[in-house]
Amino acid sequence: MIERRNIVVCIILSFVTCGIYGIYWMVCLTNDVNTVSGDVNGTSGGIAVLLTFVTCGIYGIYWAYKQGEKLDFTKNNRGIPSSNSGVLYLILQIFGFGIIGWALMQNELNKLA
């Protein structure tokens, strides 16, 4: 089961800890989306963070898009109407507003939990 997180607290902790909590949050988001979507072979949170660092953020852009696709797939399977979240998260990540995309992802996860 996934943990429901307070989005405001996650954002504040990410800023206060200079991004360290944001790394942890990215790991949790990845693992939670994999759990909700039933993707047992999906990239783990630790590997996603490692690949993001190694590729200087390029994998993080791809990651945001894939997270949106997985959330849309899960919502469709549950009969919940969904939009193309992957594109929204992708655009936010490209223009430097990734934390807003993370907050939107967490909001969707909180609804699906």
Side-chain angles (χ1 to χ4, degrees):
M1 199 65 195
I2 65 170
E3 180 182 340
R4 300 185 84 195
R5 289 181 178 77
N6 186 321
I7 298 167
V8 175
V9 170
C10 289
I11 292 171
I12 291 171
L13 285 174
S14 294
F15 283 115
V16 169
T17 62
C18 298
I20 295 172
Y21 186 82
I23 294 169
Y24 169 74
W25 191 19
M26 182 178 178
V27 170
C28 292
L29 281 171
T30 305
N31 293 334
D32 289 348
V33 169
N34 286 341
T35 301
V36 167
S37 67
D39 187 8
V40 294
N41 294 326
T43 306
S44 70
I47 298 296
V49 168
L50 178 66
L51 289 173
T52 300
F53 282 135
V54 169
T55 62
C56 299
I58 294 171
Y59 183 81
I61 295 169
Y62 169 78
W63 170 84
Y65 177 75
K66 290 305 286 181
Q67 295 297 93
E69 278 191 343
K70 287 180 184 181
L71 285 171
D72 285 342
F73 175 77
T74 303
K75 287 168 43 178
N76 285 333
N77 282 345
R78 294 185 181 188
I80 303 169
S82 65
S83 59
N84 198 353
S85 302
V87 174
L88 173 64
Y89 301 153
L90 174 73
I91 291 170
L92 289 170
Q93 195 78 22
I94 288 173
F95 288 107
F97 298 107
I99 198 160
I100 296 171
W102 293 8
L104 294 172
M105 284 180 218
Q106 187 65 58
N107 184 46
E108 293 300 322
L109 281 169
N110 288 344
K111 289 178 186 176
L112 294 171

